[in-house]
């Protein structure tokens, strides 16, 4: 018995089981062929890590600048005054 969606398919003959097995084997072979190389290599991880660190450094510089700090303090002050 195989569940599929809300209904259930009853396999009554060996030929249906064989057909299902053949379909599953073709599907599995197709998925392996289509996917090919999955994931990132070590070099791609290194480039991704460097890019993330550069973005974090840039974001840190922006957030710690005087203008942005003034905006953030003003935003927090307004939020606290509204809460009163």
């Amino acid at each position: 018995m195989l569940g599929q969606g809300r209904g259930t398919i009853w396999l009554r003959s060996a030929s249906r089981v064989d057909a299902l097995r053949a379909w599953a084997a073709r599907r599995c072979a197709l998925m392996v062929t289509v996917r090919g190389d999955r994931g990132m290599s070590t070099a791609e991880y290194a480039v991704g890590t460097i890019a993330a660190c550069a973005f974090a450094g840039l974001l840190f510089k922006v957030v710690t600048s005087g203008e942005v700090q003034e905006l953030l303090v003003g935003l927090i002050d307004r939020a606290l005054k509204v809460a009163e």
Side-chain angles (χ1 to χ4, degrees):
M1 181 168 72
L2 290 176
Q4 181 178 11
R6 291 184 180 179
T8 303
I9 299 172
W10 289 89
L11 298 175
R12 296 186 179 127
S13 66
S15 63
R16 293 182 85 183
V17 173
D18 291 338
L20 183 62
R21 284 186 182 145
W23 175 83
R26 285 191 310 272
R27 175 121 173 117
C28 188
L30 178 64
M31 290 176 69
V32 169
T33 305
V34 170
R35 288 188 183 166
D37 187 23
R38 294 179 1 182
M40 291 193 306
S41 68
T42 305
E44 290 169 331
Y45 277 115
V47 171
T49 302
I50 290 170
C53 289
F55 181 71
L58 179 66
L59 188 61
F60 178 76
K61 280 300 237 182
V62 168
V63 171
T64 56
S65 70
E67 295 171 355
V68 173
Q69 283 185 348
E70 287 179 28
L71 289 172
L72 289 174
V73 169
L75 181 68
I76 292 170
D77 285 341
R78 277 192 286 146
L80 291 175
K81 288 179 183 175
V82 170
E84 291 177 350

